[in-house]
mmCIF file of all heavy atoms in Angstrom:
data_model
loop_
_atom_site.group_PDB
_atom_site.id
_atom_site.type_symbol
_atom_site.label_atom_id
_atom_site.label_comp_id
_atom_site.label_asym_id
_atom_site.label_seq_id
_atom_site.Cartn_x
_atom_site.Cartn_y
_atom_site.Cartn_z
ATOM 1 N N ALA V 1 -38.938 2.256 -18.550
ATOM 2 C CA ALA V 1 -39.486 2.387 -17.190
ATOM 3 C C ALA V 1 -39.853 3.909 -16.966
ATOM 4 O O ALA V 1 -39.180 4.838 -17.601
ATOM 5 C CB ALA V 1 -38.477 1.972 -16.180
ATOM 6 N N ASP V 2 -40.879 4.149 -16.188
ATOM 7 C CA ASP V 2 -41.127 5.470 -15.733
ATOM 8 C C ASP V 2 -40.175 5.683 -14.476
ATOM 9 O O ASP V 2 -40.135 4.811 -13.611
ATOM 10 C CB ASP V 2 -42.628 5.569 -15.285
ATOM 11 C CG ASP V 2 -43.522 5.692 -16.428
ATOM 12 O OD1 ASP V 2 -43.138 6.197 -17.487
ATOM 13 O OD2 ASP V 2 -44.686 5.264 -16.290
ATOM 14 N N VAL V 3 -39.547 6.888 -14.394
ATOM 15 C CA VAL V 3 -38.755 7.205 -13.352
ATOM 16 C C VAL V 3 -39.631 7.525 -12.068
ATOM 17 O O VAL V 3 -40.543 8.347 -12.049
ATOM 18 C CB VAL V 3 -37.934 8.399 -13.644
ATOM 19 C CG1 VAL V 3 -37.035 8.857 -12.446
ATOM 20 C CG2 VAL V 3 -36.934 8.122 -14.762
ATOM 21 N N THR V 4 -39.322 6.813 -10.973
ATOM 22 C CA THR V 4 -40.082 6.895 -9.717
ATOM 23 C C THR V 4 -39.272 7.834 -8.710
ATOM 24 O O THR V 4 -39.903 8.413 -7.866
ATOM 25 C CB THR V 4 -40.451 5.685 -8.996
ATOM 26 O OG1 THR V 4 -39.229 4.899 -8.809
ATOM 27 C CG2 THR V 4 -41.324 4.798 -9.970
ATOM 28 N N GLU V 5 -38.012 7.835 -8.894
ATOM 29 C CA GLU V 5 -37.163 8.735 -8.106
ATOM 30 C C GLU V 5 -35.782 8.923 -8.725
ATOM 31 O O GLU V 5 -35.270 8.023 -9.323
ATOM 32 C CB GLU V 5 -36.880 7.983 -6.638
ATOM 33 C CG GLU V 5 -36.099 8.779 -5.707
ATOM 34 C CD GLU V 5 -35.808 8.082 -4.371
ATOM 35 O OE1 GLU V 5 -36.087 6.867 -4.358
ATOM 36 O OE2 GLU V 5 -35.374 8.683 -3.409
ATOM 37 N N ALA V 6 -35.352 10.194 -8.674
ATOM 38 C CA ALA V 6 -33.970 10.450 -9.230
ATOM 39 C C ALA V 6 -33.337 11.607 -8.420
ATOM 40 O O ALA V 6 -34.130 12.528 -8.159
ATOM 41 C CB ALA V 6 -34.136 10.840 -10.722
ATOM 42 N N LYS V 7 -32.082 11.503 -8.173
ATOM 43 C CA LYS V 7 -31.459 12.615 -7.429
ATOM 44 C C LYS V 7 -30.008 12.735 -7.839
ATOM 45 O O LYS V 7 -29.254 11.613 -7.962
ATOM 46 C CB LYS V 7 -31.548 12.264 -5.909
ATOM 47 C CG LYS V 7 -30.985 13.438 -5.067
ATOM 48 C CD LYS V 7 -31.301 13.201 -3.552
ATOM 49 C CE LYS V 7 -30.782 14.415 -2.836
ATOM 50 N NZ LYS V 7 -31.109 14.188 -1.369
ATOM 51 N N VAL V 8 -29.583 13.936 -8.113
ATOM 52 C CA VAL V 8 -28.168 14.139 -8.357
ATOM 53 C C VAL V 8 -27.464 14.498 -7.009
ATOM 54 O O VAL V 8 -28.001 15.307 -6.277
ATOM 55 C CB VAL V 8 -27.952 15.330 -9.362
ATOM 56 C CG1 VAL V 8 -26.451 15.690 -9.547
ATOM 57 C CG2 VAL V 8 -28.572 14.973 -10.676
ATOM 58 N N LEU V 9 -26.355 13.782 -6.734
ATOM 59 C CA LEU V 9 -25.713 13.952 -5.450
ATOM 60 C C LEU V 9 -24.449 14.721 -5.513
ATOM 61 O O LEU V 9 -23.853 15.184 -4.516
ATOM 62 C CB LEU V 9 -25.431 12.504 -4.864
ATOM 63 C CG LEU V 9 -26.639 11.678 -4.645
ATOM 64 C CD1 LEU V 9 -26.231 10.269 -4.267
ATOM 65 C CD2 LEU V 9 -27.560 12.180 -3.470
ATOM 66 N N SER V 10 -23.843 14.789 -6.710
ATOM 67 C CA SER V 10 -22.533 15.360 -6.887
ATOM 68 C C SER V 10 -22.297 15.967 -8.205
ATOM 69 O O SER V 10 -22.913 15.519 -9.149
ATOM 70 C CB SER V 10 -21.445 14.183 -6.615
ATOM 71 O OG SER V 10 -20.175 14.547 -7.028
ATOM 72 N N ASN V 11 -21.410 16.880 -8.345
ATOM 73 C CA ASN V 11 -21.028 17.491 -9.639
ATOM 74 C C ASN V 11 -19.757 16.804 -10.184
ATOM 75 O O ASN V 11 -19.309 17.240 -11.193
ATOM 76 C CB ASN V 11 -20.880 19.095 -9.465
ATOM 77 C CG ASN V 11 -22.122 19.741 -9.308
ATOM 78 O OD1 ASN V 11 -23.183 19.270 -9.798
ATOM 79 N ND2 ASN V 11 -22.055 20.777 -8.563
ATOM 80 N N VAL V 12 -19.186 15.850 -9.528
ATOM 81 C CA VAL V 12 -18.097 15.080 -10.006
ATOM 82 C C VAL V 12 -18.431 14.375 -11.265
ATOM 83 O O VAL V 12 -19.605 13.783 -11.271
ATOM 84 C CB VAL V 12 -17.487 14.194 -8.912
ATOM 85 C CG1 VAL V 12 -16.354 13.382 -9.441
ATOM 86 C CG2 VAL V 12 -17.045 14.908 -7.664
ATOM 87 N N PRO V 13 -17.669 14.321 -12.250
ATOM 88 C CA PRO V 13 -18.066 13.666 -13.502
ATOM 89 C C PRO V 13 -18.435 12.144 -13.296
ATOM 90 O O PRO V 13 -17.866 11.552 -12.423
ATOM 91 C CB PRO V 13 -16.810 13.734 -14.467
ATOM 92 C CG PRO V 13 -16.114 14.890 -13.917
ATOM 93 C CD PRO V 13 -16.280 15.007 -12.370
ATOM 94 N N SER V 14 -19.310 11.696 -14.081
ATOM 95 C CA SER V 14 -19.853 10.271 -13.980
ATOM 96 C C SER V 14 -18.822 9.367 -14.709
ATOM 97 O O SER V 14 -18.188 9.843 -15.699
ATOM 98 C CB SER V 14 -21.126 10.136 -14.653
ATOM 99 O OG SER V 14 -22.131 10.867 -13.970
ATOM 100 N N VAL V 15 -18.708 8.194 -14.275
ATOM 101 C CA VAL V 15 -17.854 7.108 -14.938
ATOM 102 C C VAL V 15 -18.491 6.683 -16.269
ATOM 103 O O VAL V 15 -19.632 6.302 -16.283
ATOM 104 C CB VAL V 15 -17.600 6.007 -14.077
ATOM 105 C CG1 VAL V 15 -16.827 4.892 -14.782
ATOM 106 C CG2 VAL V 15 -16.772 6.443 -12.858
ATOM 107 N N THR V 16 -17.795 6.758 -17.323
ATOM 108 C CA THR V 16 -18.119 6.086 -18.576
ATOM 109 C C THR V 16 -17.498 4.733 -18.679
ATOM 110 O O THR V 16 -16.447 4.466 -17.908
ATOM 111 C CB THR V 16 -17.875 7.025 -19.797
ATOM 112 O OG1 THR V 16 -16.412 7.108 -19.816
ATOM 113 C CG2 THR V 16 -18.463 8.326 -19.731
ATOM 114 N N TYR V 17 -17.792 3.907 -19.579
ATOM 115 C CA TYR V 17 -17.086 2.666 -19.766
ATOM 116 C C TYR V 17 -15.739 2.936 -20.233
ATOM 117 O O TYR V 17 -14.791 2.239 -19.879
ATOM 118 C CB TYR V 17 -17.877 1.726 -20.689
ATOM 119 C CG TYR V 17 -18.622 0.579 -19.911
ATOM 120 C CD1 TYR V 17 -19.836 1.056 -19.341
ATOM 121 C CD2 TYR V 17 -18.206 -0.593 -19.669
ATOM 122 C CE1 TYR V 17 -20.591 0.167 -18.703
ATOM 123 C CE2 TYR V 17 -18.971 -1.460 -19.003
ATOM 124 C CZ TYR V 17 -20.175 -1.058 -18.465
ATOM 125 O OH TYR V 17 -20.875 -1.989 -17.731
ATOM 126 N N ALA V 18 -15.505 3.867 -21.109
ATOM 127 C CA ALA V 18 -14.128 4.241 -21.541
ATOM 128 C C ALA V 18 -13.327 4.615 -20.456
ATOM 129 O O ALA V 18 -12.147 4.200 -20.239
ATOM 130 C CB ALA V 18 -14.229 5.386 -22.641
ATOM 131 N N PHE V 19 -13.767 5.469 -19.515
ATOM 132 C CA PHE V 19 -12.968 5.967 -18.324
ATOM 133 C C PHE V 19 -12.674 4.789 -17.374
ATOM 134 O O PHE V 19 -11.594 4.565 -16.885
ATOM 135 C CB PHE V 19 -13.743 7.006 -17.559
ATOM 136 C CG PHE V 19 -12.963 7.587 -16.465
ATOM 137 C CD1 PHE V 19 -12.170 8.694 -16.655
ATOM 138 C CD2 PHE V 19 -12.967 6.986 -15.175
ATOM 139 C CE1 PHE V 19 -11.404 9.271 -15.587
ATOM 140 C CE2 PHE V 19 -12.264 7.557 -14.153
ATOM 141 C CZ PHE V 19 -11.411 8.664 -14.344
ATOM 142 N N TYR V 20 -13.720 3.934 -17.210
ATOM 143 C CA TYR V 20 -13.579 2.738 -16.381
ATOM 144 C C TYR V 20 -12.382 1.794 -16.859
ATOM 145 O O TYR V 20 -11.529 1.452 -16.043
ATOM 146 C CB TYR V 20 -14.896 2.017 -16.366
ATOM 147 C CG TYR V 20 -14.870 0.639 -15.587
ATOM 148 C CD1 TYR V 20 -14.797 0.569 -14.268
ATOM 149 C CD2 TYR V 20 -14.883 -0.531 -16.335
ATOM 150 C CE1 TYR V 20 -14.807 -0.665 -13.536
ATOM 151 C CE2 TYR V 20 -14.867 -1.778 -15.696
ATOM 152 C CZ TYR V 20 -14.777 -1.798 -14.328
ATOM 153 O OH TYR V 20 -14.766 -3.091 -13.683
ATOM 154 N N PHE V 21 -12.394 1.541 -18.077
ATOM 155 C CA PHE V 21 -11.347 0.618 -18.661
ATOM 156 C C PHE V 21 -10.053 1.359 -18.775
ATOM 157 O O PHE V 21 -8.978 0.627 -18.533
ATOM 158 C CB PHE V 21 -11.769 0.125 -19.981
ATOM 159 C CG PHE V 21 -12.873 -0.957 -19.927
ATOM 160 C CD1 PHE V 21 -14.114 -0.820 -20.468
ATOM 161 C CD2 PHE V 21 -12.606 -2.124 -19.189
ATOM 162 C CE1 PHE V 21 -15.035 -1.781 -20.392
ATOM 163 C CE2 PHE V 21 -13.585 -3.098 -19.169
ATOM 164 C CZ PHE V 21 -14.738 -2.963 -19.725
ATOM 165 N N ASP V 22 -9.921 2.608 -18.916
ATOM 166 C CA ASP V 22 -8.647 3.321 -19.052
ATOM 167 C C ASP V 22 -8.057 3.695 -17.712
ATOM 168 O O ASP V 22 -6.788 3.724 -17.583
ATOM 169 C CB ASP V 22 -8.883 4.595 -19.837
ATOM 170 C CG ASP V 22 -9.108 4.356 -21.317
ATOM 171 O OD1 ASP V 22 -8.852 3.232 -21.841
ATOM 172 O OD2 ASP V 22 -9.597 5.309 -22.023
ATOM 173 N N HIS V 23 -8.870 3.951 -16.662
ATOM 174 C CA HIS V 23 -8.389 4.466 -15.351
ATOM 175 C C HIS V 23 -8.605 3.705 -14.142
ATOM 176 O O HIS V 23 -7.966 3.894 -13.147
ATOM 177 C CB HIS V 23 -8.906 5.942 -15.181
ATOM 178 C CG HIS V 23 -8.544 6.788 -16.280
ATOM 179 N ND1 HIS V 23 -7.301 7.296 -16.503
ATOM 180 C CD2 HIS V 23 -9.277 7.337 -17.316
ATOM 181 C CE1 HIS V 23 -7.244 8.118 -17.542
ATOM 182 N NE2 HIS V 23 -8.524 8.083 -18.115
ATOM 183 N N ILE V 24 -9.669 2.817 -14.118
ATOM 184 C CA ILE V 24 -10.108 2.166 -12.862
ATOM 185 C C ILE V 24 -9.838 0.666 -12.873
ATOM 186 O O ILE V 24 -9.195 0.178 -11.893
ATOM 187 C CB ILE V 24 -11.651 2.500 -12.640
ATOM 188 C CG1 ILE V 24 -11.858 3.915 -12.437
ATOM 189 C CG2 ILE V 24 -12.054 1.712 -11.449
ATOM 190 C CD1 ILE V 24 -13.228 4.423 -12.432
ATOM 191 N N LYS V 25 -10.255 -0.033 -13.887
ATOM 192 C CA LYS V 25 -10.037 -1.474 -13.922
ATOM 193 C C LYS V 25 -8.563 -1.841 -13.987
ATOM 194 O O LYS V 25 -7.852 -1.265 -14.748
ATOM 195 C CB LYS V 25 -10.779 -2.064 -15.088
ATOM 196 C CG LYS V 25 -10.793 -3.666 -15.053
ATOM 197 C CD LYS V 25 -11.651 -4.181 -16.172
ATOM 198 C CE LYS V 25 -11.649 -5.689 -15.988
ATOM 199 N NZ LYS V 25 -12.394 -6.348 -16.983
ATOM 200 N N PRO V 26 -8.135 -2.789 -12.984
ATOM 201 C CA PRO V 26 -6.807 -3.173 -13.049
ATOM 202 C C PRO V 26 -6.424 -3.774 -14.448
ATOM 203 O O PRO V 26 -7.094 -4.459 -14.990
ATOM 204 C CB PRO V 26 -6.731 -4.110 -11.958
ATOM 205 C CG PRO V 26 -7.903 -4.009 -11.147
ATOM 206 C CD PRO V 26 -8.925 -3.377 -11.945
ATOM 207 N N LYS V 27 -5.181 -3.312 -14.775
ATOM 208 C CA LYS V 27 -4.665 -3.857 -16.040
ATOM 209 C C LYS V 27 -4.006 -5.218 -15.845
ATOM 210 O O LYS V 27 -3.417 -5.445 -14.787
ATOM 211 C CB LYS V 27 -3.533 -2.885 -16.585
ATOM 212 C CG LYS V 27 -3.984 -1.531 -16.841
ATOM 213 C CD LYS V 27 -4.813 -1.257 -17.924
ATOM 214 C CE LYS V 27 -5.091 0.221 -18.230
ATOM 215 N NZ LYS V 27 -6.141 0.793 -17.409
ATOM 216 N N PRO V 28 -4.124 -6.179 -16.767
ATOM 217 C CA PRO V 28 -3.426 -7.423 -16.614
ATOM 218 C C PRO V 28 -1.927 -7.277 -16.593
ATOM 219 O O PRO V 28 -1.465 -6.372 -17.267
ATOM 220 C CB PRO V 28 -3.945 -8.305 -17.847
ATOM 221 C CG PRO V 28 -4.469 -7.341 -18.804
ATOM 222 C CD PRO V 28 -4.814 -6.124 -18.094
ATOM 223 N N PRO V 29 -1.244 -8.087 -15.839
ATOM 224 C CA PRO V 29 0.256 -8.004 -15.886
ATOM 225 C C PRO V 29 0.815 -8.135 -17.224
ATOM 226 O O PRO V 29 0.318 -8.984 -18.024
ATOM 227 C CB PRO V 29 0.727 -8.991 -14.837
ATOM 228 C CG PRO V 29 -0.462 -9.947 -14.705
ATOM 229 C CD PRO V 29 -1.702 -9.201 -15.018
ATOM 230 N N VAL V 30 1.841 -7.481 -17.578
ATOM 231 C CA VAL V 30 2.498 -7.622 -18.864
ATOM 232 C C VAL V 30 3.423 -8.791 -18.815
ATOM 233 O O VAL V 30 4.195 -9.043 -17.844
ATOM 234 C CB VAL V 30 3.340 -6.287 -19.136
ATOM 235 C CG1 VAL V 30 4.035 -6.409 -20.523
ATOM 236 C CG2 VAL V 30 2.476 -5.104 -19.122
ATOM 237 N N ALA V 31 3.245 -9.739 -19.869
ATOM 238 C CA ALA V 31 4.054 -10.863 -19.898
ATOM 239 C C ALA V 31 5.525 -10.496 -20.099
ATOM 240 O O ALA V 31 5.873 -9.551 -20.816
ATOM 241 C CB ALA V 31 3.512 -11.773 -21.018
#
């Protein structure tokens, strides 16, 4: 795609999938 609009809103780091799974997504309860 051609970019029609783009804007940076924050200097806070972006979420990567590794960060999402390590820090955000709830962990399943330990059996």
Side-chain angles (χ1 to χ4, degrees):
D2 285 331
V3 175
T4 58
E5 182 182 14
K7 185 173 183 179
V8 175
L9 302 170
S10 167
N11 289 330
V12 176
S14 301
V15 172
T16 62
Y17 263 78
F19 184 90
Y20 172 75
F21 286 117
D22 290 343
H23 302 287
I24 297 173
K25 186 173 181 181
K27 308 281 186 281
V30 178

